[in-house]
Amino acid sequence: MTVQRVLTGITTSGTPHLGNYAGAIRPAIAASRHPGVESFYFLADYHALIKTTDPLRVQRSTLEIAATWLAAGLDTDRVWFYRQSDIPEIPELTWLLTCVAGKGLLNRAHAYKAAVDRNTADGVDPDAGVNMGLYMYPVLMAADILMFKAHSVPVGRDQIQHIEMARDIAGSFNHLYGEHFVLPEAAIDASVATLPGLDGRKMSKSYDNTIPLFATPAELKKLIFSIVTDSKAPGEPKDADGSALFELYQAFATAEETRAMRTAFDEGIAWGEAKQALFEKIEATVAPMREHYQALIAEPARIEKHLHEGAAKARAIATPFLAELRHAVGLRNLAAVARPAAVEKAKAALPQFKQYRETDGRFHFKLVAADGRLLLQGEGFASPREAGSAVSALKQGAAFAVEGTKVVVDGQAVAALAEDVTPDDLREALAAFAA
């Protein structure tokens, strides 16, 4: 079975609300239980430093967010759950990526451009108030993703650009130093719930219309009963599709319960009765999590233990991979310095895989001998991950068969031999990688 590696960054700011739970936390935890998936979840506390200079807020928010995910059922034995700042390889990788990231690319980042546009509109220096944390945010995010060779990164549409930038930076590094990074893909789930807030708009701290996830029962009931509704009296049919109250109920109810509530709306349920039903439904879901959350908050050492264990698991991957990258860029043991002539001879002996995208949108690769002769032409693949997997299999000595000119790995045609190239020529070229 092909393993899909999925990575999710968790912002460590603010108090989690029902919208965060239904739209991000609950679906992410459910996805982590799927077979064939390796899930990485990290608390993005380095990123938090861009937004706040209050150290107590950073610490408290990290504690609350970690407790929320654990209370919501995240299985730390099954996933990688760690704090970004516990992985020292992340900032080191950020620097390696900084050295190949183009300034023009970073100039186009949405957050930086928005800051420049605001300053320009206000008639001040375009970079007024812009720190390098904000400017370099896309490179740090790229390091988070590329360190663990994530295939898929679930993001909102406003974050797609960051995944594209990570791909660009990874591509630049791979071009210069060889195929080290997996090119990640953004995963947009159109079915993810976007809950309405107290005023009917999207639930957001920006609108001050949120319902805290772990509000006390009394506070939860008070907030639910303050949800804006229309003036229709009991007995008058009500429009479920246009009701924030109904949308909230649907997010926590079963399909059968949702159908029953829709019928109740059609039959003119009183708003007070509907709000009471919503309160009971949410409270039934949240109460067990709230109890677990409060126990975790009261004993932070338990959370710290989970994070330390998660960091050890993550570093078991990050440390050897960074050693590979350091060697690739030339940060090497001086006792093993090769003479220039030996280096050139080694280079001449190695063929090269090159990956690229054609105008038809499909992803290809080719294997070229040291003298420039084409040896192998890859098939067109739907994603860079599929093309990269084929390249990795061939480089790592996967068994292959030749059917006519087609090269077949695990029953799938992945490439074709170039003209006048024999299977033995291909085996000899691939043997160079093993050597």
Side-chain angles (χ1 to χ4, degrees), residues 18-36:
L18 291 179
N20 299 141
Y21 174 71
I25 300 172
R26 183 174 62 185
I29 292 175
S32 74
R33 299 173 181 141
H34 294 164

Side-chain angles (χ1 to χ4, degrees), residues 68-271:
T68 297
W69 280 74
L70 293 171
L74 187 68
D75 183 355
T76 57
D77 291 331
R78 184 184 182 92
V79 306
W80 284 257
F81 181 58
Y82 56 95
R83 181 170 39 202
Q84 186 185 33
S85 61
D86 284 339
I87 315 298
E89 292 82 2
I90 293 293
E92 183 169 354
L93 177 56
T94 300
W95 179 251
L96 298 186
L97 299 180
T98 297
C99 294
V100 301
K103 182 174 181 292
L105 179 70
L106 298 180
N107 286 345
R108 295 191 291 274
H110 294 326
Y112 174 64
K113 285 182 65 178
V116 169
D117 289 345
R118 284 194 300 271
N119 287 334
T120 302
D122 293 341
V124 299
D125 185 286
D127 287 323
V130 176
N131 60 47
M132 289 305 294
L134 173 68
Y135 187 74
M136 295 296 296
Y137 178 99
V139 185
L140 177 57
M141 187 169 177
D144 293 325
I145 297 166
L146 299 176
M147 175 61 79
F148 297 103
K149 300 185 178 181
H151 301 116
S152 177
V153 185
V155 292
R157 295 192 180 280
D158 60 333
Q159 291 284 317
I160 292 176
Q161 186 197 43
H162 287 133
I163 311 305
E164 292 173 343
M165 294 174 83
R167 289 172 57 86
D168 286 343
I169 294 169
S172 296
F173 191 98
N174 286 351
H175 177 72
L176 290 169
Y177 300 112
E179 298 292 326
H180 295 280
F181 293 121
V182 169
L183 302 187
E185 295 181 343
I188 308 297
D189 188 350
S191 66
V192 167
T194 301
L195 295 192
L198 301 174
D199 57 2
R201 293 182 293 176
K202 174 185 174 181
M203 190 177 293
S204 170
K205 290 184 283 289
S206 301
Y207 298 144
D208 194 25
N209 66 352
T210 64
I211 301 175
L213 179 57
F214 296 125
T216 64
E219 182 186 3
L220 176 62
K221 185 170 185 176
K222 180 180 178 181
L223 288 169
I224 287 174
F225 272 74
S226 71
I227 293 173
V228 175
T229 55
D230 60 33
S231 58
K232 289 181 179 177
E236 289 187 72
K238 296 171 177 63
D239 182 9
D241 292 330
S243 168
L245 194 152
F246 181 82
E247 285 187 54
L248 285 163
Y249 185 87
Q250 185 176 30
F252 291 89
T254 64
E256 183 178 349
E257 290 168 338
T258 299
R259 285 192 295 271
M261 180 58 77
R262 182 178 290 276
T263 299
F265 266 63
D266 291 339
E267 294 174 351
I269 186 173
W271 286 124

Side-chain angles (χ1 to χ4, degrees), residues 356 358 360-365 377-383 386-387 412-415:
Y356 56 96
E358 286 285 14
D360 62 1
R362 297 185 69 79
F363 298 85
H364 298 257
F365 68 84
Q377 177 63 60
E379 297 287 329
F381 294 87
S383 71
E386 292 176 5
Q412 179 186 2
V414 298

